[in-house]
Amino acid sequence: VYQLFAGPPGIGEIWWGVDEVTLADNADATQMALELKRRGYWPAVVIPDASGAHSSGGRSSHRMLQDEGFHVVASKRNPEIADRINAVNAKLQNARSNVTLYFDPKCRGAIKCLENHKVDPRTGKPEKDKNHEHRGDGLGYPIAYLCPAAIDQAREQEKRQAVAHGL
């Protein structure tokens, strides 16, 4: 769970990881929405995995979140893995040495995920690790959506307006 704050001039938004929600492997998006509400994170904008727009029979994950009152904003397809990693790395520390992504110490899983993230030197892709892979993806989707490493200015403005409309 991120909260965004206005940063100093020239720095941009400061992202603060304030909480993490971990549910059983078989939990669905409705259960996630209910837990977010229970913790007081509602109303809110959710920026999930693009594949959640699709369903294999029942309601999609995006629909489940929307049915619980969350504003879902997602791309039609997920960003390339390298682009998502670069976007997160740029928030951790960009080329100007600005750090704009912080985590509350209680976000132990997120912190451990970032500390243990490994890239396969042969492919340049993250090594598959059941304990960290899903959490790392979840950390990266909202950052890559709002702060992409490769910037298309027109698309960027369009996305920010969609998120602002949801608040």
Side-chain angles (χ1 to χ4, degrees):
V1 177
Y2 292 117
Q3 289 184 337
L4 278 59
F5 302 93
I11 300 293
E13 296 162 329
I14 304 295
W15 290 55
W16 187 260
V18 295
D19 201 354
E20 58 187 14
V21 178
T22 304
L23 302 175
D25 286 343
N26 62 345
D28 65 17
T30 297
Q31 291 166 303
M32 175 63 77
L34 293 173
E35 181 61 18
L36 288 168
K37 283 181 171 181
R38 187 186 72 73
R39 295 186 190 194
Y41 301 117
W42 184 83
V45 174
V46 178
I47 305 173
D49 182 333
S51 68
H54 308 290
S55 165
S56 59
R59 293 180 305 152
S60 71
S61 294
H62 291 187
R63 174 56 54 201
M64 289 179 198
L65 291 164
Q66 291 165 335
D67 288 349
E68 290 299 325
F70 288 87
H71 182 72
V72 176
V73 179
S75 296
K76 298 231 184 279
R77 63 183 182 89
N78 286 327
E80 296 294 327
I81 294 168
D83 291 341
R84 191 171 66 240
I85 291 170
N86 288 337
V88 171
N89 285 342
K91 296 300 284 175
L92 290 167
Q93 184 172 26
N94 67 18
R96 291 184 219 112
S97 296
N98 296 325
V99 176
T100 56
L101 175 59
Y102 299 89
F103 289 92
D104 187 289
K106 73 179 175 185
C107 297
R108 291 185 295 270
I111 293 166
K112 187 174 182 179
C113 174
L114 290 167
E115 289 175 344
N116 293 312
H117 176 82
K118 294 183 178 125
V119 175
D120 183 326
R122 292 172 293 140
T123 65
K125 293 186 177 181
E127 292 182 0
K128 299 293 183 182
D129 176 352
K130 187 179 188 303
N131 296 321
H132 303 298
E133 181 181 356
H134 186 67
R135 189 180 308 266
D137 291 345
L139 289 168
Y141 292 129
I143 292 173
Y145 185 85
L146 290 176
C147 307
I151 297 176
D152 173 349
Q153 294 296 335
R155 180 71 182 125
E156 189 70 15
Q157 182 62 26
E158 184 181 305
K159 290 188 291 188
R160 290 198 177 281
Q161 287 174 348
V163 170
H165 176 71
L167 296 178

